[in-house]
Amino acid sequence: MSKALIIIDIQNDYFENGAMELVQPLQASENAKLILTNFREKGLEVVHVQHLSLSPQATFFLPNTKGQEIHESVVPLPSEKLIVKNYPNSFRDTDLFSYLKSKEITEIVFVGMMTHMCIDATVRAAKDYGFDCTVIADATATRALEIYGQSVDAASVQTSFLAGLSFFYSKIISTAESLK
């Protein structure tokens, strides 16, 4: 199998003082950096995904802001593919699928943010497109959510979404397991 790493939306707005701060984004980004370094050392394919908000109601990832920039922990090399997206699903209205097919990729490893949104949407789409998927759980991050007036803490959101993905869509492992 030909393997690729996809790094989704590790962008400044998700970090301390960003417009959409997540829970423990620095820890997740440092784990993502370890995975990225490993892929680079092995000469494996790396794809960076950057979200730019186009909606007039958007409050984060606004074009031409510091917040939309990729975080310093995982800055792409000039030789690595960068996909710019405008939707949670990294395949929607991008050339991600055709790029992966052109590289004969069959297996994708995912890291990034937010677990409950762009990771979830992209992993499900990737599986539906026939890719074998792995999510590095501790190289992803999310935030607390609310439904029906009830708050759901970030740890519960993270666990629930990863559990949902593990049911059919993806293998879920840790950074340490990935680097063995």
Side-chain angles (χ1 to χ4, degrees), residues 14-172:
Y14 283 149
F15 291 80
E16 186 174 357
N17 300 316
M20 181 56 71
E21 191 173 335
L22 302 183
V23 173
Q24 299 183 329
L26 194 55
Q27 179 184 356
S29 73
E30 289 301 320
N31 286 331
K33 182 179 180 177
L34 292 172
I35 301 298
L36 172 60
T37 299
N38 183 261
F39 267 70
R40 286 174 173 166
E41 287 171 353
K42 291 179 177 177
L44 296 171
E45 191 67 34
V46 174
V47 178
H48 299 262
V49 178
Q50 178 183 29
H51 192 104
L52 294 181
S53 297
L54 298 181
S55 168
Q57 295 83 22
T59 59
F60 64 103
F61 293 161
L62 301 175
N64 304 311
T65 63
K66 182 78 173 160
Q68 61 88 40
E69 293 174 9
I70 293 177
H71 190 263
E72 64 187 3
S73 61
V74 292
V75 172
L77 297 176
S79 61
E80 294 170 342
K81 177 73 170 172
L82 174 64
I83 301 281
V84 176
K85 68 177 178 66
N86 309 115
Y87 299 97
N89 176 355
S90 300
F91 290 96
R92 183 176 172 184
D93 296 342
T94 72
D95 67 343
L96 179 58
F97 180 76
S98 61
Y99 181 78
L100 294 172
K101 285 299 183 184
S102 76
K103 297 292 184 179
E104 299 181 358
I105 301 299
T106 58
E107 182 181 352
I108 303 172
V109 175
F110 292 93
V111 299
M113 300 170 183
M114 293 186 284
T115 309
H116 74 274
M117 185 59 68
C118 298
I119 296 294
D120 184 66
T122 304
V123 170
R124 290 173 188 270
K127 181 67 172 182
D128 287 345
Y129 279 128
F131 295 100
D132 290 324
C133 301
T134 300
V135 174
I136 310 300
D138 56 358
T140 64
T142 194
R143 61 192 302 263
L145 297 176
E146 187 177 307
I147 187 164
Y148 302 124
Q150 183 177 359
S151 181
V152 182
D153 64 273
S156 296
V157 172
Q158 179 82 349
T159 300
S160 295
F161 272 84
L162 291 173
L165 287 174
S166 75
F167 189 74
F168 170 78
Y169 285 95
S170 182
K171 185 169 141 186
I172 309 294

